[in-house]
Amino acid sequence: GSIDFVKNGLAKTPYTLSEVHVFEMVGYATEKANSQRLPPGLPVKVGDVGNFLALISNQGSNDIASTTLTASATYLPDFPVLALKTYHGAEKLFGGHLLRSDHAPFWEAGIAAVMWTDTSEFRNSNYHQVTDTPDTLNYTFMTNVAKLAVARVMAATK
């Protein structure tokens, strides 16, 4: 995975990474009340409806999260996207919840990375269960995630 790539493969690549986007659980969304929870101690308020895409960034990638939010507001104004931007190493707090995906090794290597997520088990009761099947996913939500990814690429290449 990303740990091995950063440790062993990155130096062998013929290109330089300017930013990394990790799509971690981006298929589940609902308009149901009380469908969204947060990791214990996370000092943010997002409401109780699990209908948004979350972007998780650290100090080295907060600008990427900001420009992605701008792209979202410009091209997908009805698609709710929130960013949790951390500063001064605060991503290491909160029981490791902000470091448990493939973006974390890039952060450790000083490479800007943003995790895109539907917040996994903090929203999706099917997460890592036998009930986690294609029919439980929100394909309109995933389409909007893909559209936002294209918008981000276009914004980054201007």
Side-chain angles (χ1 to χ4, degrees):
S2 63
I3 294 171
D4 184 57
F5 177 74
V6 169
K7 187 184 225 182
N8 302 309
L10 190 58
K12 298 175 186 174
T13 62
Y15 49 86
T16 302
L17 294 180
S18 59
E19 59 187 64
V20 174
H21 295 263
V22 173
F23 294 76
E24 171 70 31
M25 305 301 298
V26 293
Y28 189 88
T30 180
E31 295 296 328
K32 291 182 189 175
N34 300 313
S35 58
Q36 184 66 54
R37 297 174 294 111
L38 292 174
L42 197 63
V44 297
K45 295 194 185 240
V46 296
D48 69 345
V49 177
N51 64 350
F52 60 90
L53 175 70
L55 305 173
I56 312 298
S57 59
N58 70 351
Q59 191 155 338
S61 56
N62 286 337
D63 288 345
I64 298 167
S66 292
T67 57
T68 305
L69 286 174
T70 299
S72 177
T74 302
Y75 300 109
L76 296 156
D78 296 326
F79 183 49
V81 181
L82 306 173
L84 174 59
K85 301 176 192 176
T86 61
Y87 296 87
H88 308 296
E91 65 272 8
K92 296 174 184 153
L93 305 174
F94 316 112
H97 287 292
L98 303 182
L99 296 172
R100 63 178 209 186
S101 188
D102 287 327
H103 64 289
F106 293 99
W107 285 0
E108 282 184 33
I111 298 168
V114 175
M115 178 174 70
W116 300 38
T117 182
D118 65 15
T119 73
S120 60
E121 80 271 18
F122 298 103
R123 173 184 306 173
N124 185 351
S125 62
N126 300 304
Y127 179 74
H128 285 189
Q129 304 296 317
V130 296
T131 56
D132 195 358
T133 56
D135 61 299
T136 66
L137 300 177
N138 183 319
Y139 290 89
T140 300
F141 183 83
M142 286 190 285
T143 298
N144 284 329
V145 170
K147 288 177 180 178
L148 181 55
V150 170
R152 173 60 198 149
V153 168
M154 297 306 292
T157 58
K158 286 185 179 181

